Every structure is written in structure tokens, then in C-alpha cells.
Amino acid sequence: MTGEAGDRSDRSTLLHVDMDAFFVSVTIRDRPELHGRPVIVGGGARGVVLSASYEARRCGVRSAMPMTRAWRLCPTAVVLPAAYPEIEASSAAVRELLLQVTPMVEMMSVDEAFVDVAGALRRFASPVDVAEHVRARVHDEQRITCSVGIGPTRSVAKLAGRRAKPDGVVRVPADAVVDFLHPLDVGELWGVGERSRQRLESLGVRTVADLAHLPLPELCRAVGPRAGTHLHALAWGTDSCRVSPHPVSPAGAARPSERSIGSQATFGHDTDDTTLVRRELLRRSAAVARRARAAGLVARTVALTVRFADFTTLTRSRTLADPTDVTTTVHATACELYSALGLRRTRVRLVGVRLEGLQRRDGVHEQLVLGAREHGWADADRASDRAVRRFGRYAVRPASLLREDRP
DNA sequence: TCTGGGGTCCTAGGACCC
DNA sequence: TCTGGGGTCCTAGGACCC
């Protein structure tokens, strides 16, 4: 499965580079006393596990697990908050390092990337050679480890990478793809979550081989034409092999995708206090509107998310006559959507605001962007943005948030 | 003290237009 | 004039990923 060097005719040139327990590794790399101990990054009384060291995983701790459960499974674990500045710096450095190998780098998140090295094989003996080069540099320069999966398609590379963890390399040559994929549980496929796994199991599909041999029409009837076609391709390892390098902004950061901007927060305690809810909606509205302005975007649609004490969640959205990036407009819309729910004494766990239908601000006429009454508020927003840039994010806050602690 | 916060994409129904 | 079909927009919900 791994490592034959020098085979340049093999189309298996796609690397999936994935940092090992990234949040934990970065957060504790300067704290040697914690090395080898079970460490969990995450927390908050109502939070979940963001990342667990391999020692903590041995107790059964997993990402996205409620902290209460993680604590029960691994009472000796050290729990730390995520060191976001260091995590982001490390992620950017890894990205730079990958770009020195080839421009064909697609960051999927802070801790993983696809890299097509077909064009780099003049300088490297093989894809595995590239992988070892990258791993050595990440280890030497970032003092953390990563694993690399190599395959002819994205999904195969990703699955190979899972086999490589931690701190290893696995390459699946193009002619070994079906033998590699077919014994796997369908739930291991990228895009098959718990619900789809259950649904497929009800069709008698448990392994990828079962899925591959299910007649396509039957599969499409069960999961829809789109998902069916996609799953069929995954099962035969014929999904996309294209890497889309993100355009790079002058600051060097990958430009984030620009489809929506959201902010949500869980209350420390479920609440039925409307004043508290509206105040939180203001905080979320201010956050998303500020991000939109910073990105030069305006939104046509404002969406509200409300999660209740029983964890049921609903969304409501409204498309505005004119796109906006004005905090008060976003907040007013969110509050109207909230009021329209007609809640009385219903305990709320979380609220969130999301901007959708984003467009570039400079592509929209000013009078379409701003109604006459919005101008004053827009000016206030711009003044507030300037103050925040100069004095930090707590420099300017709406009066109703002044004495408030975060939820 | 069960269950975060950032997203993307898909589906499905109804409105509305041609 | 009793009824089609395609396309787009809006809304709500859900699955999934990191």
C-alpha cells in the first residue's frame, strides 16, 4: 500500500496533509510537562471537546464529545482552552511551507489541506518523497507532527491519511484503489454521517463493496439522485481529483469563502428573558455586520437561529429589499424574526445570526445598499470600526452591552 | 452540567413568471 | 379555463464536515 518510489506514471499524486491532534499539539508544545499526558482542548461548562491528545483518546475521548462525558471517561485529563493565535499562526506557516512545494494547495480547514504534487515530481522522486519532505519540515519548524494520505482522488487520499495517523504516510496507488476501499465500513466515507450510514444499512449496505454493487437507480431512490451519484463515485474511487487553490489576499491569508457569515452563542443557562435574548442578538448582529464590512460585503438575507432547552433548533430568515452591512438593520431584522416566533416562557439555549446572499459592496449602488435612514447608522458603524481597529474590540460597544458579561 | 461554533450543500414546497 | 412544464426566488429544515 505504501511507498514505492519513482513510479511517475501512477495518477496517485494527491496528498491529504492532516495535522495530528492539532489544537492539542500546538497548545502544549511549549509545555513539555504535559507531553505524554491525556490532554483535552475544549471546555466551557456546556462545551465540547475540540481536540484530544492520543493519550486521552485511549480513554475513549473524541472530538465533538460533550465535555461532561469526556471528563467522566478521562478524569485525569488536563483540560485547556484553545490557543487560537498560536493555532492560526501555525496553520498559516504550514500553508506557506506547502506552497513552497507547489501552488496546487487547497486548505480545507486550519489543520488539513489537499496538495496535488503531480507538477512537483521534477524536483521530488515520488509523492511519498514529497510527503516525507513536508512532514520533516512541519516537525522541525512547527514542532508538531502530521500525517499524509496519498491517492488518485480526494476521498481516497483522505481515507489513506486516516490510516496513516498518527505521524505516518500511506499511499494508495491508482490500481489498488478498489481493493483499498471495498472492505471499509460505508460510514468511513467522506460525507456519509451517522444518518446516511443508518439509512444505507437499512438497504443492506454495510461496506463500501456493498455500496459499490448496489444498483445505482436503487441507491438514487433511497438517498436522492445527487447524493446517490456521488456515493457511487466514492465507492469506486472515481470522485474528484481536482484541487482548487484559493486565491491569496495581499496579507497572505487564504481568502475565506464568501457564502455566509454567522455568529451564534450558547447561554450559560437556558433563559426565557426576552431582554437577555435581544441583547445577545445585538452582540451577534454587531459581530457579523462588522465582519461583513471588513470583507467589503453586504447581505441580502438575515437568518435567525434559535435552539431551545430540549435542543430542538429552528431557523427563520428574511430577505431584505436592500442589501445591508448595518448593525442596527441586522439586529432589528433578527429581533423581528424572533418576535414573530411568539414565544412565551420558552427556555432558549442558543441564539445565532447569519448573513446570507452576500454580494460585494462595491458592486451594488449606494442607494440600493442604504435606505435614507440607514445612512446615520452606517456612519456610526464606520466610526466604530475605526475605533475597534485602533483600540481593540472592546473599545466600542452598544450601550446595552456595556455592563454585560459574555453569556 | 449531555450535546460549540464556524461553515457548506441539498431538498422540498410554494410563489410567481413565462 | 380546469390545467402543463420549466425556471427562479424565497423559506425552512436537515445532513454533514472540521
Side-chain angles (χ1 to χ4, degrees):
Chain A
M1 211 76 87
T2 59
E4 75 296 350
D7 179 4
R8 291 176 192 217
S9 61
D10 195 317
R11 290 171 289 107
S12 176
T13 59
L14 202 57
L15 272 58
H16 181 253
V17 179
D18 198 347
M19 305 299 121
D20 298 326
F22 187 51
F23 283 32
V24 165
S25 304
V26 172
T27 302
I28 71 171
R29 70 183 164 190
D30 293 320
R31 299 179 62 175
E33 74 277 12
L34 294 178
H35 293 179
R37 293 194 55 185
V39 177
I40 296 171
V41 165
R46 314 182 89 182
V48 298
V49 174
L50 293 174
S51 176
S53 71
Y54 285 87
E55 292 78 11
R57 292 182 199 197
R58 273 194 216 101
C59 305
V61 177
R62 296 287 180 272
S63 291
M65 178 182 278
M67 279 305 300
T68 47
R69 172 134 189 262
W71 208 291
R72 276 200 303 275
L73 286 169
C74 195
T76 60
V78 177
V79 178
L80 297 170
Y84 284 108
E86 289 82 357
I87 285 166
E88 277 162 25
S90 193
S91 176
V94 169
R95 178 168 176 278
E96 277 314 306
L97 174 166
L98 294 173
L99 283 170
Q100 287 170 21
V101 174
T102 169
M104 296 300 287
V105 174
E106 182 175 3
M107 292 300 288
M108 298 302 290
S109 69
V110 282
D111 69 345
E112 62 176 302
F114 285 109
V115 186
D116 190 340
V117 301
L121 293 181
R122 249 187 278 272
R123 290 185 291 130
F124 293 90
S126 69
V128 171
D129 194 33
V130 182
E132 291 299 1
H133 166 82
V134 165
R135 280 165 32 74
R137 282 196 64 187
V138 168
H139 181 266
D140 294 348
E141 297 168 25
Q142 297 301 312
R143 292 179 292 130
I144 60 176
T145 65
C146 66
S147 302
V148 180
I150 310 172
T153 69
R154 296 159 70 99
S155 116
V156 172
K158 175 135 175 133
L159 289 168
R162 202 173 293 170
R163 289 294 170 86
K165 279 187 167 295
D167 198 13
V169 179
V170 168
R171 177 168 187 251
V172 180
D175 61 8
V177 162
V178 170
D179 287 343
F180 170 75
L181 286 176
H182 281 198
L184 301 178
D185 190 290
V186 272
E188 292 200 56
L189 292 179
W190 198 21
V192 178
E194 187 48 33
R195 302 304 280 262
S196 305
R197 199 193 60 76
Q198 282 172 13
R199 185 153 201 180
L200 289 168
E201 187 160 351
S202 75
L203 296 174
V205 172
R206 300 199 52 196
T207 65
V208 176
D210 295 336
L211 179 63
H213 293 105
L214 191 68
L216 188 53
E218 194 178 335
L219 181 57
C220 289
R221 263 199 306 280
V223 301
R226 203 135 183 167
T229 311
H230 179 61
L231 286 177
H232 188 79
L234 288 183
W236 287 103
T238 54
D239 60 293
S240 167
C241 56
R242 300 273 289 278
V243 166
S244 320
H246 291 299
V248 179
S249 70
R255 192 160 76 198
S257 61
E258 293 170 344
R259 306 196 67 82
S260 70
I261 295 173
S263 177
Q264 58 180 47
T266 300
F267 291 103
H269 301 280
D270 299 343
T271 182
D272 59 6
D273 181 342
T274 311
T275 308
L276 217 59
V277 169
R278 286 170 182 273
R279 200 176 281 155
E280 192 55 38
L281 288 175
L282 175 54
R283 204 188 320 260
R284 299 302 132 201
S285 300
V288 295
R290 187 181 308 289
R291 283 174 56 197
R293 292 192 298 272
L297 298 169
V298 288
R300 292 209 57 218
T301 303
V302 175
L304 166 78
T305 301
V306 180
R307 177 170 295 152
F308 300 105
D310 67 358
F311 220 72
T312 56
T313 306
L314 55 75
T315 62
R316 291 290 182 271
S317 64
R318 176 176 301 165
T319 297
L320 307 169
D322 308 313
T324 191
D325 60 3
V326 177
T327 296
T328 50
T329 305
V330 175
H331 181 229
T333 308
C335 284
E336 285 168 26
L337 290 166
Y338 186 80
S339 297
L341 296 176
L343 303 181
R344 296 175 59 231
R345 298 238 152 282
T346 314
R347 297 175 68 73
V348 169
R349 179 188 177 90
L350 165 151
V351 291
V353 175
R354 178 165 295 277
L355 301 180
E356 301 170 349
L358 300 176
Q359 319 169 16
R360 300 225 60 85
R361 187 177 211 288
D362 51 24
V364 182
H365 277 297
E366 178 82 353
Q367 60 264 42
L368 286 181
V369 177
L370 294 179
R373 276 178 307 160
E374 272 194 321
H375 265 105
W377 291 115
D379 291 341
D381 280 347
R382 280 195 279 273
S384 142
D385 291 348
R386 283 194 295 276
V388 167
R389 276 197 298 274
R390 285 178 64 178
F391 304 115
R393 60 184 274 239
Y394 295 108
V396 178
R397 275 183 286 177
S400 71
L401 299 181
L402 276 182
R403 293 184 304 118
E404 275 306 303
D405 294 319
R406 298 170 57 78

